[in-house]
Amino acid sequence: MSDTIIKATGLVKNFGKTKALDGVDLAVNAGEVFGFIGPNGAGKSTTIRILLGAIRANAGNAAIFGKDVWNDAVEIHKRIAYVPGDVNLWDNLTGGEIIDLFIRLRRGGDKKYKEELIEKFDFDPTKKAGTYSKGNRQKVALVSAFASDADLYILDEPTSGLDPLMELVFQECVHKVKREGKAVLLSSHILSEVEKLCDRLTIIRNGKIIDTGTLKELRHLSRNNVTVETKNAIEGIEKLEGVFDVANSGDEVSFKVDAEATGSVMKRLADADISHITVSPPTLEELFISHYGVKQ
Amino acid sequence: MKISGKYTGTLALCKFALRRDRVWLALWTIGIVSLVVACGPLFPEIAKTPAELASFSETMKNPAMIAMTGPVYAEPYTYGILYAQMMTAWILIVLGVMNFFLVSRHLRKDEEEGLIEVMRSLPIGRSSIVLGTAIETLLANLAIALLSTVGLVLTGVESIDLAGSLVLGGIIFCGGLIFTAIAMLFSQIFMTSRGATGFSFAVLGVLYALGAMGNIEGGAMANISLFSFVFKTSPFSGNYIWPFFILLGEAVVIGFIAVLLNARRDLGAGFIPQRNGRAHAKASLSSPLGFALRQTRTSNIAWILIMLVVGIMYGSIFGDFENFVESSDFFKAMIMADVDAGANAMLSFMTYITLIMSVIAAIPVINVVYRIRGEEKRNRIEQIYSKAVAKRSFLLSYVGIALVLSVLLQAAEGLGLWMSTKVVMSEPFALSEVLAAGFIKLPAIWLIAGLGVLLLGLLPRLTSLVWLYLGTSFFLLYLGRVMDIPKAFMDGTAFGALPDCPIENFAPLPVALVTVMAAALLAAGTIFYSKREISYR
Ligand SMILES: Nc1ncnc2c1ncn2[C@@H]1O[C@H](COP(=O)(O)OP(=O)(O)OP(=O)(O)O)[C@@H](O)[C@H]1O
Ligand SMILES: [Mg+2]
């Protein structure tokens, strides 16, 4: 975690009366895959468009490679690859032509690896872009992004049109660039994808960052799921501090427990003579829901 | 469901389509009917007395006029015949455009957008959508035909009578149906609405060209294209109706083939699949300029050819200059001021025509600049700017192409005009005179392009203001002289401010002024554009 690739502080963006971003901070380092998650309209794409120098923040600073995202956009883009969620292309050009064009406009890429990617993504580059499906249009952007020699990959919901098989290919690509020490900013609401790929993540909602950290750290803040079977009946567990959602089904009891309270609850369970227990960290879904549920 | 046949739900679909298209159809109907009706009273203006009308018929026997519009199919010449001869081809072309868009919208576009998939999952017959669309267009064409007939009769122009107007309405109706059938056929053959409309337009062009040949040659040749065949009905003279049966028969046969093909093909497929292209980009497609050239290439070439042909057509008028101009107060009024000032009438007319062509040449030039706005509206521009491409270099690529195009267009129209005048005139113009007339107006085209760039940079949502400016200029320059509008208004336009070479002397001041203004607008627009955000939908 040495070089800071993206550094944004206090980004504010207003569209007329809507406040799309309200003080967004972001820091992405070299060699890490950084997840950017939030519900629809949270401000993910807006943040990314500011980072790309396509729109201008009303307040705050954003720098990539230490350069200003608005003033030095062209310099920065030589080392960036971007994949939008909604890829609009030119009907009269073929997918192969557009891939080549994109790589050339970015100044440089790997020809052999490009062919390999086209193969892997099972993509027909000879068709006119007007006939491509959503997933195939996304492949055009993905192939040209991963085949180019970038130091930062900005991916805005890049897999929303891919089938599960192609998603695996995508994950492989992300792993590869990560191994090469590149940085990746991956916006998504597919939580399983973020879980699999990201080292750190940030959660955004209503234009505000509500949490940042490793998956582990974020999980710490929320509740573990416990399912337990004991020889002796446990009583009054629902009265313990930090225990929620207790449900009995036969011999089994399941509940959620705050991270801090886990130890004391375990002691109590041990007294009742555990015969079987599973403790699982919250899924990202639950993280999401607890964050939004609490604050809605 | 009473009938579970191929046509189940046709009427419901047709009603739905009519509701969905009501505004679109109303606008087209109003547009076409007003074209048909409003032009009627113009002809007695062009030729005021019977003698003028008779001499005008000589003008209209000029091969260029016959090819462009139609033959003098009956004599003695009347306003009705003059009207049918001059207007039929244009009415048919506009009608073709409407029918092509309407049909491919329902049969190809909807399918591309997955709408037809939804509809087919409803209890609707296999051929109902095609048939429903056919009925919709039939009703639309019928409405246009009837309204046109009524409107024409109401103009009260001498010799534009009920019988002839009915025949003209019949031409509109049958022509519309044939175009519908053609579009239906190509919607089955091609995979995309672009392919279907593109090919329909190509066929329209070929039919028009064949019609031009048929009109000149007569005989069997005239039976091939509807553009010449329709004159067999002899509107406002013989008023024959037998040709209508043939036209209707053709429409039914083509339409029937389309329905058969539709029932046999798969959803989303065509009989001619989209051609595959190259897997790799050529070396030329590697810079903003290369990209801009590639994206504008086809339309640039097409416009250059169009301007060449327009030049040739206008040039051919000079073969029969005396008749054409002297018999018409309209044209006389256009050049009178110059002639009174001592200029040669032919040279004045050439200068004037070139001025009008220059205004037209501004259209493709602005279109090139506005491609950038199109890219932005379709959310494709972020694909470009997320690469190492500066806004300025992308914009200037298009501006550069636009400026070069302006020179090529002026050269093409000048060359075309010069070539045909060389054939038809005994003492043709010098090439330098013709080119000077066009090139002297270049700064005005640049100024309009500059205005476009400024709007693009400053008020991207109001880019269409430039069309208002161009439209006003066109109106003032085209009709200003005839309508006795003070000259100051015309000189206020960029085109009018520039000297009318070769009948006027070259004047460095206005030329420099307009050029500097154009450069300033371009520069300011470029700065604003490089500094502004991309607007997202
Ligand atoms: N060009 C614009 N004009 C007006 N409002 C906008 C514009 N772009 C975004 N917004 C608003 O800003 C907010 C944030 O939008 P943004 O596209 O950044 O969300 P997102 O997190 O990317 O959502 P999604 O997951 O749906 O892609 C939304 O309320 C949106 O309506
Ligand atoms: Mg988004």
Side-chain angles (χ1 to χ4, degrees):
Chain A
M1 305 277 150
S2 47
D3 303 346
T4 305
I5 302 286
I6 301 179
K7 178 103 195 121
T9 44
L11 294 180
V12 174
K13 182 68 191 177
N14 302 313
F15 291 110
K17 275 182 201 141
T18 28
K19 196 151 201 163
L21 296 186
D22 188 7
V24 167
D25 302 329
L26 208 58
V28 179
N29 301 320
E32 81 175 343
V33 179
F34 192 91
F36 195 32
I37 64 174
N40 292 129
K44 302 181 295 293
S45 299
T46 304
T47 308
I48 285 176
R49 283 164 184 170
I50 290 175
L51 292 177
L52 288 170
I55 58 176
R56 208 170 182 174
N58 296 110
N61 290 307
I64 295 181
F65 309 129
K67 298 189 177 87
D68 184 79
V69 291
W70 178 260
N71 292 321
D72 304 324
V74 179
E75 267 315 297
I76 294 172
H77 293 177
K78 287 179 188 167
R79 298 167 61 195
I80 280 188
Y82 164 62
V83 178
D86 219 347
V87 183
N88 297 301
L89 301 172
W90 299 272
D91 291 356
N92 62 328
L93 300 178
T94 66
E97 283 178 308
I98 296 174
I99 291 174
D100 283 349
L101 172 75
F102 283 0
I103 292 176
R104 289 168 189 172
L105 289 181
R106 202 182 278 123
R107 317 267 161 92
D110 185 341
K111 250 204 181 127
K112 250 183 60 202
Y113 186 51
K114 181 197 85 182
E115 301 297 339
E116 210 180 303
L117 281 171
I118 288 178
E119 192 99 331
K120 271 193 193 160
F121 274 112
D122 190 22
F123 177 71
D124 180 356
T126 62
K127 290 236 180 78
K128 294 273 160 82
T131 65
Y132 285 137
S133 64
K134 176 176 163 68
N136 277 328
R137 289 200 304 272
Q138 225 153 19
K139 286 178 191 176
V140 170
L142 284 169
V143 169
S144 79
F146 286 116
S148 61
D149 179 28
D151 294 319
L152 170 63
Y153 294 81
I154 296 183
L155 314 172
D156 190 1
E157 287 169 41
T159 58
S160 45
L162 296 187
D163 62 46
L165 220 62
M166 290 303 125
E167 238 183 278
L168 284 181
V169 180
F170 166 75
Q171 288 166 9
E172 221 176 283
C173 291
V174 173
H175 283 305
K176 179 176 180 287
V177 296
K178 189 192 155 180
R179 274 198 305 276
E180 291 165 356
K182 315 287 178 63
V184 179
L185 176 65
L186 173 64
S187 113
S188 182
H189 28 216
I190 306 177
L191 301 159
S192 57
E193 178 175 277
V194 180
E195 226 166 355
K196 266 180 224 146
L197 292 171
C198 297
D199 305 302
R200 287 200 305 142
L201 56 99
T202 208
I203 301 178
I204 182 172
R205 182 168 155 259
N206 284 343
K208 285 197 181 103
I209 303 288
I210 52 178
D211 243 318
T212 303
T214 61
L215 207 51
K216 228 178 173 175
E217 286 165 353
L218 291 190
R219 278 182 177 145
H220 225 68
L221 296 176
S222 71
R223 296 158 192 164
N224 287 313
N225 297 310
V226 178
T227 308
V228 67
E229 220 183 300
T230 48
K231 301 234 168 79
N232 308 327
I234 20 172
E235 264 153 39
I237 190 144
E238 60 273 4
K239 288 185 189 122
L240 290 179
E241 204 169 316
V243 172
F244 303 88
D245 301 344
V246 179
N248 284 299
S249 70
D251 299 334
E252 255 182 24
V253 183
S254 57
F255 53 88
K256 292 180 167 44
V257 55
D258 275 341
E260 310 92 78
T262 311
S264 56
V265 173
M266 282 302 150
K267 266 184 209 146
R268 186 68 187 269
L269 289 179
D271 292 344
D273 204 352
I274 301 170
S275 58
H276 181 75
I277 184 167
T278 54
V279 181
S280 54
T283 62
L284 217 39
E285 259 86 6
E286 283 165 328
L287 256 184
F288 227 53
I289 291 164
S290 71
H291 270 298
Y292 301 145
V294 172
K295 293 179 185 178
Q296 219 119 45
Chain B
M1 283 298 119
K2 272 179 300 182
I3 3 160
S4 62
K6 280 155 68 180
Y7 304 110
T8 312
T10 299
L11 284 181
L13 272 178
C14 180
K15 268 194 219 155
F16 175 64
L18 281 170
R19 261 211 21 220
R20 214 175 121 197
D21 295 336
R22 60 186 188 274
V23 175
W24 194 94
L25 282 174
L27 288 177
W28 272 96
T29 306
I30 293 169
I32 298 179
V33 173
S34 30
L35 169 80
V36 172
V37 178
C39 289
L42 286 184
F43 292 95
E45 293 295 312
I46 295 174
K48 284 211 171 78
T49 62
E52 270 181 27
L53 190 61
S55 86
F56 206 74
S57 82
E58 292 308 309
T59 310
M60 297 305 285
K61 283 178 186 159
N62 165 350
M65 289 309 295
I66 292 179
M68 255 165 68
T69 61
V72 178
Y73 54 83
E75 280 181 295
Y77 215 42
T78 62
Y79 291 125
I81 297 172
L82 173 62
Y83 175 91
Q85 185 199 354
M86 289 275 279
M87 295 299 297
T88 306
W90 308 132
I91 296 172
L92 284 176
I93 288 175
V94 179
L95 214 56
V97 175
M98 180 194 94
N99 279 284
F100 292 164
F101 280 136
L102 187 60
V103 171
S104 90
R105 189 159 124 126
H106 283 291
L107 298 188
R108 236 26 277 198
K109 259 228 163 73
D110 283 359
E111 187 163 325
E112 276 164 31
E113 287 162 9
L115 267 173
I116 288 191
E117 223 176 326
V118 177
M119 290 200 219
R120 278 234 184 130
S121 63
L122 301 172
I124 282 170
R126 233 179 164 345
S127 304
S128 307
I129 294 174
V130 177
L131 208 66
T133 305
I135 297 176
E136 184 197 8
T137 52
L138 185 139
L139 291 175
N141 287 307
L142 187 64
I144 292 174
L146 286 177
L147 288 172
S148 298
T149 302
V150 174
L152 269 180
V153 175
L154 291 181
T155 58
V157 173
E158 182 198 330
S159 81
I160 295 194
D161 54 8
L162 178 62
S165 301
L166 273 172
V167 170
L168 207 89
I171 291 177
I172 291 177
F173 181 64
C174 295
L177 285 193
I178 286 191
F179 292 133
T180 290
I182 289 175
M184 272 168 62
L185 184 65
F186 289 125
S187 292
Q188 306 313 315
I189 292 178
F190 289 93
M191 254 186 79
T192 61
S193 61
R194 254 173 89 99
T197 30
F199 216 82
S200 301
F201 277 115
V203 167
L204 184 70
V206 170
L207 284 175
Y208 179 73
L210 285 173
M213 269 150 66
N215 282 332
I216 292 178
E217 299 278 317
M221 186 75 210
N223 295 336
I224 296 177
S225 161
L226 83 161
F227 279 94
S228 45
F229 184 68
V230 290
F231 292 111
K232 300 265 153 117
T233 58
S234 195
F236 305 107
S237 171
N239 294 331
Y240 308 117
I241 54 169
W242 61 266
F244 291 133
F245 295 109
I246 295 176
L247 290 170
L248 283 178
E250 287 174 5
V252 169
V253 170
I254 302 174
F256 189 66
I257 296 175
V259 173
L260 281 186
L261 288 180
N262 175 264
R264 298 180 66 126
R265 78 179 169 90
D266 286 337
L267 203 56
F271 277 90
I272 297 181
Q274 185 90 1
R275 249 185 318 122
N276 283 7
R278 50 182 80 243
H280 305 280
K282 283 203 225 166
S284 54
L285 192 63
S286 50
S287 62
L289 183 61
F291 173 79
L293 272 173
R294 167 72 188 265
Q295 292 305 96
T296 56
R297 185 178 62 194
T298 313
S299 73
N300 286 347
I301 294 174
W303 270 101
I304 290 172
L305 289 179
I306 287 173
M307 291 316 281
L308 189 75
V309 171
V310 170
I312 291 174
M313 281 179 168
Y314 274 126
S316 65
I317 293 173
F318 287 89
D320 202 23
F321 183 77
E322 305 284 303
N323 262 323
F324 194 80
V325 174
E326 314 247 320
S327 64
S328 146
D329 288 343
F330 186 76
F331 289 114
K332 244 191 235 164
M334 285 174 180
I335 58 169
M336 227 38 208
D338 299 323
V339 174
D340 287 346
N344 172 305
M346 288 207 194
L347 209 57
S348 309
F349 193 58
M350 185 276 284
T351 310
Y352 173 73
I353 282 177
T354 308
L355 171 66
I356 297 305
M357 288 196 293
S358 307
V359 181
I360 295 172
I363 296 172
V365 173
I366 296 174
N367 275 337
V368 168
V369 173
Y370 280 1
R371 286 278 179 132
I372 292 190
R373 181 70 187 135
E375 296 294 326
E376 190 172 11
K377 275 187 188 159
R378 289 173 190 84
N379 276 353
R380 291 190 298 230
I381 204 128
E382 68 165 9
Q383 300 285 347
I384 299 284
Y385 291 142
S386 64
K387 315 294 180 294
V389 174
K391 291 198 186 117
R392 184 161 32 92
S393 69
F394 193 64
L395 174 65
L396 288 182
S397 300
Y398 281 84
V399 170
I401 293 173
L403 295 184
V404 172
L405 178 67
S406 67
V407 178
L408 294 179
L409 289 169
Q410 294 299 78
E413 71 198 29
L415 271 179
L417 193 137
W418 178 73
M419 286 190 305
S420 64
T421 51
K422 206 158 160 53
V423 175
V424 299
M425 286 170 78
S426 46
E427 284 171 53
F429 306 120
L431 178 60
S432 60
E433 284 175 323
V434 180
L435 287 182
F439 285 153
I440 195 69
K441 299 297 176 189
L442 274 174
I445 301 182
W446 298 337
L447 184 128
I448 286 179
L451 190 62
V453 174
L454 185 73
L455 288 170
L456 192 66
L458 210 54
L459 301 166
R461 276 166 219 286
L462 295 177
T463 40
S464 38
L465 281 181
V466 84
W467 299 118
L468 193 66
Y469 179 80
L470 194 65
T472 313
S473 300
F474 182 79
F475 177 78
L476 284 172
L477 296 166
Y478 188 53
L479 295 176
R481 297 183 185 205
V482 182
M483 295 171 58
D484 281 329
I485 290 171
K487 197 166 179 306
F489 282 100
M490 289 170 247
D491 289 349
T493 67
F495 288 98
L498 293 165
D500 292 326
C501 293
I503 54 168
E504 281 175 23
N505 287 331
F506 178 80
L509 190 67
V511 176
L513 200 70
V514 176
T515 310
V516 168
M517 273 173 65
L521 287 172
L522 277 175
T526 307
I527 291 171
F528 283 122
Y529 183 74
S530 334
K531 292 208 167 140
R532 87 161 160 84
E533 298 183 331
I534 297 178
S535 70
Y536 285 90
R537 258 179 310 165

